[in-house]
Amino acid sequence: MTPTERSDLLQGTLELLVLKTLSLEPMHGWGISQRIWRMSREVLDVPQGSLYPALLRMRRRGWIRSEWRTSEHNRRARYYELTPAGMKQLAEERRSWSRASTAVNQVLAAQASVL
């Protein structure tokens, strides 16, 4: 897939995707972006310049915690994991996404007679 075929993340979805990814297992930043890319079948490309500020915001909010560990490539990396507050936030973000995506689908499916 070429860079032009990849999708930019919709505003507000990055935190949802990161929370979901971390609900599977603790990961370092690069691993998070790669997991999202693979789970989206190579459509959603998370730029590092967006990911790390989001991780910092989520850490400050208490949704995730981090610690330094040795990566699978024997390098020092900061690993992130979900907190109980993060699990609650993931549930809220999923509900919000479901409402929003349903509304968008309704608009896309609307016929002129509905207006």
Side-chain angles (χ1 to χ4, degrees):
M1 180 168 288
T2 66
T4 56
E5 292 173 317
R6 292 183 185 151
S7 267
D8 290 332
L9 291 174
L10 294 172
Q11 188 170 359
T13 61
L14 179 57
E15 289 176 352
L16 169 62
L17 296 173
V18 170
L19 290 170
K20 171 56 184 171
T21 302
L22 291 176
S23 75
L24 303 173
E25 66 180 307
M27 303 185 86
H28 52 74
W30 187 82
I32 293 167
S33 64
Q34 289 301 298
R35 175 71 62 92
I36 292 169
W37 185 68
R38 286 193 315 269
M39 287 191 305
S40 70
R41 296 192 174 127
E42 302 176 1
V43 173
L44 299 176
D45 191 19
V46 180
Q48 300 298 303
S50 299
L51 177 62
Y52 287 100
L55 288 168
L56 182 59
R57 278 192 311 275
M58 289 188 282
R59 207 169 90 205
R60 286 182 180 155
R61 292 175 181 156
W63 300 345
I64 61 174
R65 63 178 154 253
S66 66
E67 68 179 7
W68 289 100
R69 297 184 191 171
T70 302
S71 74
E72 60 276 4
H73 298 294
N74 209 27
R75 293 191 177 137
R76 192 166 179 238
R78 186 182 294 269
Y79 276 72
Y80 300 89
E81 66 180 301
L82 228 47
T83 63
M87 289 297 290
K88 289 179 185 175
Q89 185 62 30
L90 173 58
E92 177 55 36
E93 296 277 337
R94 289 181 81 140
R95 281 190 295 275
S96 179
W97 175 258
S98 180
R99 282 191 310 270
S101 63
T102 296
V104 168
N105 287 330
Q106 289 171 338
V107 169
L108 293 174
Q111 302 297 316
S113 60
V114 175
L115 306 173

